[in-house]
Amino acid sequence: MGRHRKQSPATVKRGSVLALTGLVPTGFVACAAASDLNSGHTAVQEVAEEGGLLGALGAAEVTDDGYVEHAMAAQGVAAKPVVKTVALPTDRAKAELPAGPGGIPGVAVAAYQNAEQLLAAQNPVCNMEWTLLAGIGRVESTHVFGGKADAEGNPLDPVYGPVLDGSLAGNAVIHDSDGGALDGLGGYDRAVGPMQFLPETWTRYAADGNGDGIADPQNLYDAALTAGKYLCDGNLDMRDLSQRSRAILRYNNSMAYVANVMAWANSYGTGVAPKPAELPRI
């Protein structure tokens, strides 16, 4: 189905599994896991305390800077995308774009910067910078395994996390939520795409980053924008260190994870490679 072809897909060997926010009571915490590139680690799904943007807008008044009015207009203009994984031919060529800071594949840089620009219009109070999205992308899938994606940002092979059936030490059991529509798997869920979303979370936050009317978790442009939307949820401001840390913890409830993401984000912004001490084992 979709891009889930019969050959063995690329499996992300490091990355957390996201939590679904806004659909369960505050304080509920569910555990999930994903393995490290070199060794396994446990990820915790932390439910955000804030409601979503639409809920916040419903009770808010227009502020002096016009944010509420702007955000409502943006929400009204954008049509809700179709959530699905698109079937693509297997003989696609790898994108040949100049690498960005720190060797980030050019197609990934384009996707992260595109997400920054769209989020600046859709949620200006978030102050999302592309380097933070790049930090997430580096930790989750090393930017689709070093840029193994076509010019449109589609991985040459679909990216999946480990099956969350409890078979791996530290992994929680997460039963199927999408009938295999996004993760190509029945019975249990697994994280999907370069930014590693659980199907249920993707369905809630899914965004169309490339303007094709589809929100595909495997597509870099869609995944980057959705990751930004997820991090910004609750009107968090990424320029505030504590709020930024809080947002990153939604991805993985680990301060070591936060340290890694911030170290890579800073590296992409300054051009200075992170020091080993800045990259604690997750």
Side-chain angles (χ1 to χ4, degrees), residues 27-80:
F28 176 82
V29 177
C31 295
S35 58
D36 193 278
L37 285 171
N38 298 310
S39 61
H41 80 278
T42 299
V44 178
Q45 294 175 265
E46 181 178 78
V47 174
E49 295 178 355
E50 306 88 351
L53 175 62
L54 292 177
L57 292 177
E61 297 179 356
V62 177
T63 58
D64 291 339
D65 61 7
Y67 165 64
V68 171
E69 180 179 354
H70 182 112
M72 290 181 73
Q75 289 288 340
V77 170
K80 187 174 181 179

Coordinates of all heavy atoms in Angstrom, one line a residue, residues 27-80:
G27 N -1.6 14.9 32.0 CA -0.8 14.1 32.9 C -0.6 12.7 32.5 O 0.2 12.0 33.0
F28 N -1.4 12.3 31.5 CA -1.3 10.9 31.0 C 0.0 10.7 30.3 O 0.4 11.5 29.5 CB -2.4 10.5 30.1 CG -2.3 9.1 29.5 CD1 -2.7 8.0 30.2 CD2 -1.7 8.9 28.3 CE1 -2.6 6.8 29.7 CE2 -1.6 7.7 27.7 CZ -2.0 6.6 28.4
V29 N 0.8 9.7 30.6 CA 2.1 9.5 30.0 C 2.2 8.1 29.5 O 1.9 7.2 30.3 CB 3.3 9.8 31.0 CG1 4.6 9.4 30.3 CG2 3.3 11.2 31.4
A30 N 2.5 7.9 28.2 CA 2.6 6.5 27.7 C 4.0 6.3 27.2 O 4.6 7.2 26.7 CB 1.7 6.4 26.5
C31 N 4.6 5.2 27.5 CA 5.9 4.9 27.1 C 6.0 4.3 25.7 O 5.2 3.5 25.3 CB 6.6 3.9 28.1 SG 6.7 4.6 29.7
A32 N 7.1 4.6 25.0 CA 7.3 4.0 23.7 C 8.9 3.9 23.6 O 9.6 4.4 24.5 CB 6.8 4.9 22.6
A33 N 9.3 3.3 22.5 CA 10.8 3.2 22.3 C 11.2 3.2 20.9 O 10.5 2.9 20.0 CB 11.3 2.0 23.1
A34 N 12.5 3.5 20.7 CA 13.1 3.3 19.4 C 14.6 3.1 19.7 O 15.1 3.5 20.7 CB 12.9 4.6 18.6
S35 N 15.3 2.4 18.8 CA 16.7 2.0 19.1 C 17.6 3.1 18.6 O 17.4 3.8 17.6 CB 17.0 0.7 18.4 OG 16.7 0.8 17.0
D36 N 18.8 3.2 19.2 CA 19.8 4.1 18.9 C 20.6 3.6 17.7 O 20.5 2.4 17.4 CB 20.8 4.3 20.1 CG 21.7 5.4 19.9 OD1 22.7 5.2 19.2 OD2 21.5 6.5 20.5
L37 N 21.3 4.5 17.0 CA 22.1 4.0 15.8 C 23.1 3.0 16.2 O 23.4 2.1 15.5 CB 22.8 5.2 15.2 CG 22.0 6.2 14.4 CD1 22.8 7.4 14.0 CD2 21.5 5.5 13.1
N38 N 23.5 3.1 17.5 CA 24.5 2.1 18.0 C 24.0 1.2 19.1 O 24.5 0.2 19.4 CB 25.8 2.8 18.4 CG 26.5 3.5 17.2 OD1 26.7 3.0 16.2 ND2 26.8 4.8 17.5
S39 N 23.0 1.7 19.8 CA 22.4 1.0 20.9 C 21.0 1.5 21.2 O 20.7 2.6 20.9 CB 23.3 1.2 22.2 OG 23.4 2.5 22.5
G40 N 20.2 0.6 21.9 CA 18.8 0.9 22.1 C 18.6 2.0 23.2 O 19.5 2.2 24.0
H41 N 17.5 2.6 23.1 CA 17.1 3.5 24.2 C 15.6 3.6 24.3 O 14.9 3.2 23.3 CB 17.7 4.9 24.0 CG 16.9 5.8 23.1 ND1 17.1 5.7 21.7 CD2 16.0 6.7 23.2 CE1 16.3 6.5 21.1 NE2 15.6 7.2 22.0
T42 N 15.1 4.0 25.4 CA 13.7 4.1 25.6 C 13.2 5.5 25.4 O 13.7 6.4 26.0 CB 13.3 3.6 27.0 OG1 13.7 2.2 27.1 CG2 11.8 3.7 27.2
A43 N 12.1 5.7 24.7 CA 11.5 7.0 24.5 C 10.2 7.0 25.3 O 9.5 6.0 25.4 CB 11.2 7.2 23.0
V44 N 9.9 8.1 25.8 CA 8.6 8.3 26.6 C 7.7 9.2 25.9 O 8.1 10.3 25.5 CB 8.9 8.8 28.0 CG1 7.6 9.0 28.8 CG2 9.8 7.8 28.7
Q45 N 6.5 8.8 25.7 CA 5.5 9.7 25.0 C 4.9 10.6 26.1 O 4.2 10.1 27.0 CB 4.4 8.9 24.4 CG 4.9 8.1 23.2 CD 3.8 7.2 22.7 OE1 3.7 6.1 23.1 NE2 2.9 7.7 21.9
E46 N 5.2 11.9 26.1 CA 4.7 12.8 27.1 C 3.6 13.6 26.5 O 3.7 14.3 25.4 CB 5.8 13.7 27.6 CG 5.3 14.7 28.6 CD 6.5 15.5 29.1 OE1 6.8 16.5 28.4 OE2 7.0 15.3 30.2
V47 N 2.4 13.6 27.1 CA 1.3 14.4 26.6 C 1.4 15.8 27.0 O 1.7 16.1 28.2 CB 0.0 13.8 27.2 CG1 -1.2 14.6 26.7 CG2 -0.2 12.4 26.6
A48 N 1.3 16.7 26.1 CA 1.4 18.1 26.4 C 0.2 18.6 27.2 O -0.9 18.1 27.1 CB 1.4 18.9 25.0
E49 N 0.5 19.6 28.1 CA -0.5 20.1 29.0 C -1.4 21.1 28.2 O -2.5 21.4 28.7 CB 0.2 20.8 30.1 CG 1.0 19.8 31.0 CD 1.7 20.5 32.2 OE1 1.6 21.8 32.2 OE2 2.2 19.9 33.0
E50 N -0.9 21.7 27.2 CA -1.7 22.7 26.5 C -2.6 22.1 25.5 O -2.5 21.0 25.0 CB -0.8 23.7 25.7 CG 0.3 24.3 26.5 CD 1.6 23.4 26.5 OE1 1.5 22.3 26.0 OE2 2.6 23.8 27.0
G51 N -3.7 22.9 25.2 CA -4.6 22.4 24.1 C -4.0 22.8 22.8 O -3.0 23.5 22.7
G52 N -4.6 22.5 21.7 CA -4.1 22.8 20.4 C -4.4 24.2 20.0 O -5.0 25.0 20.8
L53 N -3.9 24.7 18.9 CA -4.0 26.0 18.4 C -5.5 26.5 18.3 O -5.9 27.5 18.7 CB -3.3 26.2 17.1 CG -3.4 27.6 16.4 CD1 -2.8 28.7 17.4 CD2 -2.7 27.6 15.1
L54 N -6.3 25.6 17.7 CA -7.7 26.0 17.5 C -8.4 26.1 18.8 O -9.2 27.1 18.9 CB -8.4 24.9 16.6 CG -7.9 24.8 15.1 CD1 -8.6 23.7 14.4 CD2 -8.2 26.1 14.4
G55 N -8.1 25.3 19.7 CA -8.7 25.4 21.0 C -8.4 26.7 21.7 O -9.2 27.4 22.3
A56 N -7.1 27.1 21.6 CA -6.6 28.3 22.2 C -7.3 29.5 21.6 O -7.6 30.4 22.2 CB -5.1 28.4 22.1
L57 N -7.4 29.4 20.3 CA -8.0 30.6 19.6 C -9.4 30.8 19.9 O -10.0 31.9 20.0 CB -7.9 30.4 18.1 CG -6.4 30.4 17.5 CD1 -6.5 30.2 16.0 CD2 -5.8 31.8 17.8
G58 N -10.1 29.6 20.2 CA -11.5 29.7 20.5 C -11.9 30.5 21.7 O -12.9 31.1 21.8
A59 N -10.9 30.5 22.7 CA -11.2 31.2 23.9 C -10.4 32.5 24.1 O -10.5 33.3 25.0 CB -10.8 30.3 25.1
A60 N -9.5 32.8 23.1 CA -8.6 33.9 23.2 C -9.3 35.2 22.6 O -10.2 35.2 21.8 CB -7.3 33.6 22.4
E61 N -8.7 36.3 23.0 CA -9.1 37.6 22.5 C -8.0 38.1 21.5 O -6.9 37.6 21.6 CB -9.2 38.7 23.6 CG -10.4 38.3 24.6 CD -10.5 39.4 25.7 OE1 -9.6 40.3 25.7 OE2 -11.4 39.2 26.5
V62 N -8.3 39.0 20.6 CA -7.3 39.5 19.7 C -6.3 40.3 20.4 O -6.6 41.2 21.2 CB -8.0 40.3 18.6 CG1 -6.9 40.9 17.7 CG2 -9.0 39.5 17.8
T63 N -5.0 39.9 20.2 CA -3.9 40.6 20.9 C -3.5 41.8 20.2 O -3.9 42.1 19.0 CB -2.7 39.7 21.1 OG1 -2.3 39.3 19.8 CG2 -3.1 38.5 21.9
D64 N -2.7 42.7 20.8 CA -2.2 43.9 20.1 C -1.5 43.6 18.8 O -1.6 44.4 17.9 CB -1.3 44.7 21.1 CG -2.1 45.2 22.3 OD1 -3.3 45.4 22.2 OD2 -1.4 45.6 23.3
D65 N -0.8 42.5 18.8 CA 0.0 42.2 17.5 C -0.9 41.5 16.5 O -0.4 41.2 15.4 CB 1.2 41.4 17.8 CG 0.9 40.0 18.4 OD1 -0.3 39.7 18.5 OD2 1.8 39.3 18.8
G66 N -2.1 41.3 16.8 CA -3.0 40.7 15.8 C -2.8 39.2 15.6 O -3.2 38.7 14.6
Y67 N -2.1 38.6 16.5 CA -1.7 37.2 16.3 C -3.0 36.3 16.1 O -3.0 35.5 15.2 CB -0.9 36.6 17.4 CG -0.8 35.1 17.4 CD1 -0.2 34.5 16.3 CD2 -1.5 34.4 18.4 CE1 -0.2 33.1 16.2 CE2 -1.4 33.0 18.3 CZ -0.8 32.4 17.2 OH -0.8 31.0 17.2
V68 N -4.0 36.4 17.0 CA -5.1 35.6 16.9 C -5.8 35.8 15.5 O -6.2 34.8 14.9 CB -6.1 35.9 18.0 CG1 -7.4 35.1 17.8 CG2 -5.5 35.5 19.4
E69 N -6.0 37.0 15.1 CA -6.7 37.3 13.9 C -5.9 36.6 12.7 O -6.4 36.0 11.8 CB -6.8 38.8 13.6 CG -7.5 39.1 12.3 CD -7.6 40.7 12.2 OE1 -7.2 41.4 13.1 OE2 -8.0 41.1 11.1
H70 N -4.5 36.8 12.8 CA -3.7 36.3 11.7 C -3.8 34.7 11.7 O -3.9 34.1 10.6 CB -2.2 36.7 12.0 CG -1.3 36.2 11.0 ND1 -0.6 37.1 10.1 CD2 -0.8 35.0 10.7 CE1 0.2 36.4 9.3 NE2 0.1 35.1 9.6
A71 N -3.7 34.1 12.9 CA -3.7 32.7 12.9 C -5.0 32.1 12.5 O -5.1 31.1 11.8 CB -3.4 32.2 14.3
M72 N -6.1 32.8 12.8 CA -7.4 32.3 12.4 C -7.6 32.4 10.9 O -8.1 31.5 10.2 CB -8.5 33.1 13.1 CG -8.6 32.8 14.6 SD -9.9 33.7 15.4 CE -11.4 32.9 14.8
A73 N -7.0 33.5 10.3 CA -7.1 33.6 8.9 C -6.3 32.5 8.2 O -6.7 32.0 7.2 CB -6.5 35.0 8.5
A74 N -5.1 32.2 8.8 CA -4.3 31.2 8.2 C -5.0 29.8 8.2 O -4.9 29.1 7.3 CB -2.9 31.1 8.9
Q75 N -5.6 29.6 9.4 CA -6.3 28.3 9.5 C -7.5 28.2 8.5 O -7.8 27.2 8.0 CB -6.8 28.2 11.0 CG -5.8 27.9 12.0 CD -5.2 26.5 11.9 OE1 -5.8 25.6 11.4 NE2 -4.0 26.3 12.5
G76 N -8.1 29.4 8.3 CA -9.3 29.3 7.4 C -8.9 29.2 5.9 O -9.7 28.6 5.2
V77 N -7.7 29.7 5.6 CA -7.3 29.6 4.2 C -6.8 28.2 3.8 O -7.1 27.7 2.7 CB -6.2 30.7 3.9 CG1 -5.6 30.4 2.5 CG2 -6.8 32.1 4.0
A78 N -6.1 27.6 4.7 CA -5.5 26.3 4.4 C -6.5 25.2 4.4 O -7.1 25.0 5.5 CB -4.3 26.0 5.3
A79 N -6.6 24.5 3.3 CA -7.5 23.3 3.3 C -6.9 22.2 4.0 O -5.6 22.0 3.9 CB -7.8 22.9 1.9
K80 N -7.6 21.4 4.7 CA -7.1 20.2 5.4 C -6.5 19.2 4.4 O -7.2 18.8 3.5 CB -8.2 19.6 6.3 CG -7.6 18.5 7.2 CD -8.7 18.0 8.1 CE -8.2 16.9 9.1 NZ -9.3 16.4 10.0

